[in-house]
Amino acid sequence: MSERTAAVPATRDEERILAELNKKFVHDARSQQLIEISYRIVDSPIGALLLASTEAGLVRVAFETEGHERILEVLAHKVGPRILKDDRSLDDAARQLDQYFSGSLQEFSLPLDLRLSTEFRRQVQLELGRIAYGRTQSYAQVAEHIGKPKAVRAVGSACATNPLPIVLPCHRVLRTDGSLGGYLGGLDVKTQLLKLENPEFDGGEATLF
Amino acid sequence: MQIPFERIVQDHGLAVLRVCRALLDEHRAQDAWSETFLAALKAYPDLPDDANVQAWLVTIAHRKAIDELRKNPSEVLAEVLPETEVGQAGRPEARIMDGELWQAVKALPQKQRFVLAYRYLGGLSYAQISQILSGSEAAARRAGSDGIKNLRTHWKHAQMLEELS
């Protein structure tokens, strides 16, 4: 009997009760400050995005291709396991991303939590925020700007491990020859973002020559 | 490595709700569910990696239910659940889960009720149940089988039970 009973899926009545209980639970957990990370998933033209925040600020933006469940597991390990989905959180981040994708916002203004990055990478990632909307820089230029002109590869790694893509625009960093380099969300997404910001962007075609 | 607590709520919320509803009236069952998950969330970082999460949650729910039953023992047994109308026609299990089972289980002596709830709704082994109830495994097993026997005698869906068991 145990297996059969345990396998009986939730009835509509139970689903309704659980949905209400869950809402109240998240609310209570939030007011008792028991949540280490709250998250929600928002739709965007480049696929579903996971937004996660700590008390300090936005801590992770993740592309669907990264595997949201896997990212949440990493966050549980690195920040803390008290992670809850809270659709009423992260309103500012969700709204600003919406505006960004509709072309009406060029610069994000959000509290950020870069605790997932080492000090050097944090320095690089914050530098990314200075690259103007619609413009690009090379990895070498970014290395120069932070005063470490030889650290080009390390800058590349810092971009590749940017925990807050789009918000900290690592997509605006290209190779010196103008080719795309890499992107956590895939090169298609990188091109799409660059074209959104600058319709004349050539798509990094320099790679072909 | 601990998984995000959200997944624990998703994976075990239903079983804990069913356990709470088998032990308490509707309103207090829901309170017990909320208190169980809040207490669990608080304690979660200290839970050993290899712990059986559902047994842990049912143990917390048990303590919450005992507190409630001590505060007000009579209400539970006196309560008669309304016949819930069918949410999902043609699914007898749904009808049972929506009310009839609780009604039948609540008519049982307390120990049998605990054991059946933890065994069949909480999915615990008799060994785990005996720990929660501070008794022997044999006693838990006996209470379980007495409970099943009782249900067979008094519950109008005895036949359904036969099919499930």
Short mmCIF file of all heavy atoms in Angstrom, two decimals, chain A residues 21-35 82 84, chain B residues 5 8-9 16 20 30-45 56-57 60-61 63-64:
data_model
loop_
_atom_site.label_atom_id
_atom_site.label_comp_id
_atom_site.label_asym_id
_atom_site.label_seq_id
_atom_site.Cartn_x
_atom_site.Cartn_y
_atom_site.Cartn_z
N LEU A 21 -0.26 27.30 1.11
CA LEU A 21 0.69 27.10 2.21
C LEU A 21 2.08 27.54 1.80
O LEU A 21 2.82 28.14 2.58
CB LEU A 21 0.72 25.62 2.62
CG LEU A 21 -0.47 25.12 3.44
CD1 LEU A 21 -0.40 23.62 3.65
CD2 LEU A 21 -0.53 25.83 4.78
N ASN A 22 2.44 27.25 0.57
CA ASN A 22 3.77 27.60 0.09
C ASN A 22 3.97 29.12 0.06
O ASN A 22 5.01 29.63 0.46
CB ASN A 22 4.00 26.99 -1.29
CG ASN A 22 5.46 26.98 -1.64
OD1 ASN A 22 6.29 26.60 -0.83
ND2 ASN A 22 5.79 27.45 -2.84
N LYS A 23 2.93 29.80 -0.38
CA LYS A 23 2.99 31.25 -0.45
C LYS A 23 3.22 31.83 0.95
O LYS A 23 4.07 32.69 1.16
CB LYS A 23 1.65 31.76 -1.00
CG LYS A 23 1.75 32.96 -1.89
CD LYS A 23 0.46 33.03 -2.57
CE LYS A 23 -0.12 34.14 -3.18
NZ LYS A 23 -1.49 34.03 -3.58
N LYS A 24 2.44 31.32 1.89
CA LYS A 24 2.53 31.80 3.27
C LYS A 24 3.90 31.44 3.86
O LYS A 24 4.51 32.24 4.56
CB LYS A 24 1.41 31.15 4.09
CG LYS A 24 1.35 31.60 5.52
CD LYS A 24 0.12 31.02 6.20
CE LYS A 24 0.13 31.27 7.70
NZ LYS A 24 1.22 30.56 8.41
N PHE A 25 4.36 30.25 3.53
CA PHE A 25 5.66 29.79 4.04
C PHE A 25 6.79 30.71 3.58
O PHE A 25 7.63 31.14 4.38
CB PHE A 25 5.90 28.35 3.57
CG PHE A 25 7.30 27.86 3.76
CD1 PHE A 25 7.86 27.76 5.03
CD2 PHE A 25 8.08 27.49 2.67
CE1 PHE A 25 9.16 27.31 5.21
CE2 PHE A 25 9.37 27.04 2.84
CZ PHE A 25 9.91 26.95 4.11
N VAL A 26 6.80 31.03 2.29
CA VAL A 26 7.85 31.91 1.76
C VAL A 26 7.77 33.28 2.43
O VAL A 26 8.79 33.87 2.81
CB VAL A 26 7.74 32.03 0.22
CG1 VAL A 26 8.72 33.06 -0.31
CG2 VAL A 26 7.99 30.69 -0.44
N HIS A 27 6.55 33.77 2.61
CA HIS A 27 6.35 35.05 3.26
C HIS A 27 6.91 35.02 4.69
O HIS A 27 7.65 35.91 5.11
CB HIS A 27 4.86 35.40 3.26
CG HIS A 27 4.55 36.67 3.98
ND1 HIS A 27 4.23 36.69 5.32
CD2 HIS A 27 4.54 37.95 3.58
CE1 HIS A 27 4.03 37.94 5.70
NE2 HIS A 27 4.21 38.73 4.65
N ASP A 28 6.55 33.98 5.44
CA ASP A 28 7.01 33.86 6.83
C ASP A 28 8.53 33.71 6.88
O ASP A 28 9.20 34.31 7.72
CB ASP A 28 6.37 32.65 7.53
CG ASP A 28 4.89 32.87 7.77
OD1 ASP A 28 4.42 34.02 7.62
OD2 ASP A 28 4.18 31.89 8.09
N ALA A 29 9.07 32.89 5.99
CA ALA A 29 10.52 32.65 5.96
C ALA A 29 11.24 33.96 5.67
O ALA A 29 12.28 34.26 6.26
CB ALA A 29 10.86 31.61 4.91
N ARG A 30 10.66 34.75 4.78
CA ARG A 30 11.28 36.03 4.43
C ARG A 30 11.23 36.97 5.64
O ARG A 30 12.24 37.57 6.00
CB ARG A 30 10.56 36.66 3.23
CG ARG A 30 11.36 37.77 2.58
CD ARG A 30 10.58 38.58 1.57
NE ARG A 30 9.74 37.79 0.68
CZ ARG A 30 8.44 38.01 0.50
NH1 ARG A 30 7.82 38.96 1.16
NH2 ARG A 30 7.76 37.27 -0.35
N SER A 31 10.07 37.05 6.29
CA SER A 31 9.99 38.00 7.40
C SER A 31 10.81 37.54 8.61
O SER A 31 11.21 38.35 9.42
CB SER A 31 8.53 38.30 7.77
OG SER A 31 7.87 37.12 8.09
N GLN A 32 11.07 36.24 8.71
CA GLN A 32 11.95 35.77 9.79
C GLN A 32 13.41 35.72 9.36
O GLN A 32 14.26 35.19 10.07
CB GLN A 32 11.50 34.38 10.25
CG GLN A 32 10.16 34.40 10.96
CD GLN A 32 9.73 33.01 11.45
OE1 GLN A 32 10.55 32.21 11.88
NE2 GLN A 32 8.45 32.73 11.38
N GLN A 33 13.68 36.24 8.19
CA GLN A 33 15.05 36.31 7.64
C GLN A 33 15.75 34.96 7.62
O GLN A 33 16.90 34.83 7.99
CB GLN A 33 15.87 37.32 8.44
CG GLN A 33 15.28 38.71 8.33
CD GLN A 33 16.13 39.75 9.00
OE1 GLN A 33 16.60 39.55 10.12
NE2 GLN A 33 16.35 40.87 8.34
N LEU A 34 15.01 33.96 7.17
CA LEU A 34 15.57 32.61 7.11
C LEU A 34 16.07 32.24 5.71
O LEU A 34 16.61 31.18 5.51
CB LEU A 34 14.50 31.59 7.53
CG LEU A 34 14.06 31.63 8.99
CD1 LEU A 34 12.91 30.67 9.23
CD2 LEU A 34 15.25 31.26 9.89
N ILE A 35 15.85 33.13 4.76
CA ILE A 35 16.21 32.80 3.37
C ILE A 35 17.60 33.33 3.05
O ILE A 35 17.88 34.51 3.23
CB ILE A 35 15.18 33.40 2.38
CG1 ILE A 35 13.77 32.95 2.77
CG2 ILE A 35 15.50 32.97 0.95
CD1 ILE A 35 12.69 33.49 1.85
N ARG A 82 19.64 27.39 2.16
CA ARG A 82 18.29 27.90 2.43
C ARG A 82 17.85 28.78 1.27
O ARG A 82 17.86 30.01 1.33
CB ARG A 82 18.28 28.64 3.76
CG ARG A 82 18.45 27.64 4.90
CD ARG A 82 18.14 28.23 6.23
NE ARG A 82 19.28 28.98 6.72
CZ ARG A 82 19.50 29.21 8.01
NH1 ARG A 82 18.66 28.77 8.91
NH2 ARG A 82 20.56 29.88 8.39
N LEU A 84 14.94 29.58 -1.59
CA LEU A 84 13.52 29.43 -1.89
C LEU A 84 13.14 30.22 -3.14
O LEU A 84 13.68 31.30 -3.39
CB LEU A 84 12.66 29.91 -0.72
CG LEU A 84 12.65 29.06 0.55
CD1 LEU A 84 11.77 29.70 1.61
CD2 LEU A 84 12.17 27.64 0.26
N PHE B 5 16.71 24.19 -0.50
CA PHE B 5 15.54 23.83 0.30
C PHE B 5 14.26 23.85 -0.52
O PHE B 5 13.33 23.08 -0.24
CB PHE B 5 15.42 24.80 1.50
CG PHE B 5 14.48 24.27 2.55
CD1 PHE B 5 14.91 23.31 3.46
CD2 PHE B 5 13.17 24.71 2.62
CE1 PHE B 5 14.03 22.81 4.42
CE2 PHE B 5 12.30 24.21 3.58
CZ PHE B 5 12.73 23.26 4.47
N ILE B 8 13.18 20.55 -1.48
CA ILE B 8 12.64 19.76 -0.37
C ILE B 8 11.15 20.05 -0.18
O ILE B 8 10.35 19.15 0.03
CB ILE B 8 13.47 20.05 0.91
CG1 ILE B 8 14.84 19.44 0.66
CG2 ILE B 8 12.79 19.50 2.15
CD1 ILE B 8 15.74 19.36 1.81
N VAL B 9 10.81 21.33 -0.30
CA VAL B 9 9.39 21.69 -0.19
C VAL B 9 8.60 21.04 -1.34
O VAL B 9 7.53 20.47 -1.13
CB VAL B 9 9.20 23.23 -0.24
CG1 VAL B 9 7.73 23.59 -0.08
CG2 VAL B 9 10.03 23.91 0.83
N VAL B 16 4.01 15.54 3.70
CA VAL B 16 3.87 16.15 5.03
C VAL B 16 2.44 16.67 5.23
O VAL B 16 1.85 16.52 6.30
CB VAL B 16 4.91 17.28 5.22
CG1 VAL B 16 4.65 18.06 6.51
CG2 VAL B 16 6.32 16.71 5.23
N CYS B 20 -0.06 15.49 8.20
CA CYS B 20 -0.68 16.46 9.10
C CYS B 20 -2.20 16.35 9.06
O CYS B 20 -2.88 16.41 10.09
CB CYS B 20 -0.27 17.88 8.74
SG CYS B 20 1.47 18.24 9.05
N GLN B 30 -2.90 22.54 8.62
CA GLN B 30 -2.19 23.52 7.79
C GLN B 30 -1.18 24.32 8.63
O GLN B 30 -0.08 24.60 8.17
CB GLN B 30 -3.19 24.43 7.09
CG GLN B 30 -4.04 23.65 6.09
CD GLN B 30 -4.90 24.53 5.20
OE1 GLN B 30 -4.65 25.72 5.06
NE2 GLN B 30 -5.92 23.93 4.60
N ASP B 31 -1.58 24.66 9.85
CA ASP B 31 -0.63 25.34 10.74
C ASP B 31 0.58 24.45 11.00
O ASP B 31 1.72 24.91 10.99
CB ASP B 31 -1.29 25.67 12.09
CG ASP B 31 -2.18 26.90 11.99
OD1 ASP B 31 -2.15 27.55 10.93
OD2 ASP B 31 -2.91 27.18 12.96
N ALA B 32 0.30 23.17 11.24
CA ALA B 32 1.40 22.24 11.54
C ALA B 32 2.33 22.12 10.34
O ALA B 32 3.56 22.05 10.49
CB ALA B 32 0.85 20.87 11.93
N TRP B 33 1.75 22.10 9.14
CA TRP B 33 2.59 22.05 7.92
C TRP B 33 3.52 23.26 7.88
O TRP B 33 4.73 23.12 7.67
CB TRP B 33 1.68 22.02 6.68
CG TRP B 33 2.40 21.79 5.38
CD1 TRP B 33 2.54 20.60 4.73
CD2 TRP B 33 3.09 22.77 4.57
NE1 TRP B 33 3.27 20.77 3.57
CE2 TRP B 33 3.62 22.07 3.45
CE3 TRP B 33 3.32 24.14 4.68
CZ2 TRP B 33 4.34 22.72 2.45
CZ3 TRP B 33 4.06 24.78 3.68
CH2 TRP B 33 4.56 24.07 2.58
N SER B 34 2.95 24.45 8.09
CA SER B 34 3.77 25.67 8.03
C SER B 34 4.86 25.64 9.09
O SER B 34 6.03 25.97 8.81
CB SER B 34 2.90 26.91 8.27
OG SER B 34 1.91 26.97 7.29
N GLU B 35 4.48 25.26 10.31
CA GLU B 35 5.47 25.25 11.39
C GLU B 35 6.55 24.21 11.12
O GLU B 35 7.72 24.43 11.44
CB GLU B 35 4.78 24.97 12.73
CG GLU B 35 4.01 26.17 13.25
CD GLU B 35 3.22 25.82 14.51
OE1 GLU B 35 3.63 24.90 15.23
OE2 GLU B 35 2.17 26.45 14.72
N THR B 36 6.15 23.09 10.56
CA THR B 36 7.12 22.04 10.24
C THR B 36 8.16 22.57 9.26
O THR B 36 9.37 22.42 9.47
CB THR B 36 6.41 20.81 9.63
OG1 THR B 36 5.53 20.28 10.60
CG2 THR B 36 7.40 19.74 9.19
N PHE B 37 7.70 23.20 8.19
CA PHE B 37 8.67 23.64 7.18
C PHE B 37 9.50 24.83 7.65
O PHE B 37 10.68 24.95 7.29
CB PHE B 37 7.97 23.91 5.84
CG PHE B 37 7.81 22.63 5.05
CD1 PHE B 37 6.61 21.93 5.06
CD2 PHE B 37 8.87 22.09 4.35
CE1 PHE B 37 6.47 20.73 4.37
CE2 PHE B 37 8.75 20.89 3.65
CZ PHE B 37 7.55 20.21 3.67
N LEU B 38 8.93 25.68 8.48
CA LEU B 38 9.74 26.79 9.01
C LEU B 38 10.82 26.25 9.94
O LEU B 38 11.98 26.67 9.87
CB LEU B 38 8.85 27.79 9.76
CG LEU B 38 8.14 28.83 8.90
CD1 LEU B 38 7.19 29.68 9.75
CD2 LEU B 38 9.15 29.74 8.18
N ALA B 39 10.43 25.29 10.81
CA ALA B 39 11.42 24.70 11.73
C ALA B 39 12.49 23.96 10.92
O ALA B 39 13.69 24.03 11.23
CB ALA B 39 10.73 23.75 12.70
N ALA B 40 12.05 23.28 9.87
CA ALA B 40 13.00 22.53 9.04
C ALA B 40 13.97 23.48 8.33
O ALA B 40 15.17 23.22 8.26
CB ALA B 40 12.25 21.68 8.02
N LEU B 41 13.44 24.58 7.81
CA LEU B 41 14.28 25.56 7.12
C LEU B 41 15.35 26.10 8.07
O LEU B 41 16.52 26.23 7.70
CB LEU B 41 13.42 26.70 6.57
CG LEU B 41 14.14 27.83 5.83
CD1 LEU B 41 14.84 27.32 4.58
CD2 LEU B 41 13.16 28.95 5.45
N LYS B 42 14.93 26.39 9.31
CA LYS B 42 15.88 26.88 10.30
C LYS B 42 17.00 25.88 10.54
O LYS B 42 18.17 26.22 10.60
CB LYS B 42 15.16 27.12 11.63
CG LYS B 42 14.83 28.58 11.89
CD LYS B 42 14.13 28.73 13.23
CE LYS B 42 12.83 29.50 13.01
NZ LYS B 42 11.99 29.62 14.18
N ALA B 43 16.61 24.61 10.69
CA ALA B 43 17.58 23.59 11.10
C ALA B 43 18.33 22.99 9.91
O ALA B 43 19.32 22.28 10.09
CB ALA B 43 16.85 22.48 11.85
N TYR B 44 17.88 23.28 8.71
CA TYR B 44 18.39 22.58 7.52
C TYR B 44 19.91 22.58 7.36
O TYR B 44 20.49 21.52 7.07
CB TYR B 44 17.70 23.14 6.27
CG TYR B 44 18.05 22.43 4.99
CD1 TYR B 44 18.00 21.03 4.90
CD2 TYR B 44 18.42 23.14 3.84
CE1 TYR B 44 18.31 20.37 3.73
CE2 TYR B 44 18.73 22.48 2.67
CZ TYR B 44 18.68 21.11 2.61
OH TYR B 44 19.00 20.48 1.45
N PRO B 45 20.59 23.73 7.57
CA PRO B 45 22.04 23.70 7.35
C PRO B 45 22.76 22.68 8.24
O PRO B 45 23.85 22.23 7.91
CB PRO B 45 22.48 25.13 7.69
CG PRO B 45 21.26 25.96 7.45
CD PRO B 45 20.11 25.09 7.87
N TRP B 56 12.97 12.89 8.56
CA TRP B 56 13.27 14.08 9.36
C TRP B 56 12.06 15.02 9.41
O TRP B 56 11.65 15.48 10.48
CB TRP B 56 14.50 14.75 8.75
CG TRP B 56 14.90 16.08 9.29
CD1 TRP B 56 15.32 16.35 10.57
CD2 TRP B 56 14.95 17.33 8.58
NE1 TRP B 56 15.63 17.69 10.68
CE2 TRP B 56 15.41 18.30 9.48
CE3 TRP B 56 14.67 17.71 7.27
CZ2 TRP B 56 15.59 19.64 9.10
CZ3 TRP B 56 14.86 19.03 6.89
CH2 TRP B 56 15.31 19.98 7.80
N LEU B 57 11.47 15.26 8.25
CA LEU B 57 10.31 16.16 8.20
C LEU B 57 9.12 15.58 8.97
O LEU B 57 8.43 16.30 9.69
CB LEU B 57 9.90 16.42 6.74
CG LEU B 57 10.86 17.27 5.91
CD1 LEU B 57 10.46 17.24 4.44
CD2 LEU B 57 10.87 18.71 6.41
N ILE B 60 9.55 16.07 12.61
CA ILE B 60 9.21 17.44 13.04
C ILE B 60 7.70 17.61 13.06
O ILE B 60 7.12 18.15 14.02
CB ILE B 60 9.86 18.49 12.11
CG1 ILE B 60 11.38 18.34 12.11
CG2 ILE B 60 9.48 19.90 12.55
CD1 ILE B 60 12.10 19.22 11.09
N ALA B 61 7.04 17.12 12.01
CA ALA B 61 5.57 17.23 11.94
C ALA B 61 4.93 16.51 13.11
O ALA B 61 3.93 16.98 13.69
CB ALA B 61 5.07 16.66 10.61
N ARG B 63 6.15 16.12 16.13
CA ARG B 63 6.26 16.95 17.34
C ARG B 63 5.24 18.08 17.32
O ARG B 63 4.61 18.38 18.32
CB ARG B 63 7.67 17.53 17.45
CG ARG B 63 8.66 16.49 17.93
CD ARG B 63 9.97 17.16 18.35
NE ARG B 63 11.07 16.35 17.91
CZ ARG B 63 11.96 16.70 16.98
NH1 ARG B 63 11.90 17.89 16.44
NH2 ARG B 63 12.91 15.88 16.63
N LYS B 64 5.07 18.68 16.15
CA LYS B 64 4.09 19.78 16.04
C LYS B 64 2.69 19.25 16.31
O LYS B 64 1.88 19.89 16.98
CB LYS B 64 4.14 20.42 14.65
CG LYS B 64 5.50 20.96 14.26
CD LYS B 64 5.85 22.21 15.04
CE LYS B 64 7.27 22.65 14.72
NZ LYS B 64 7.81 23.59 15.70
#
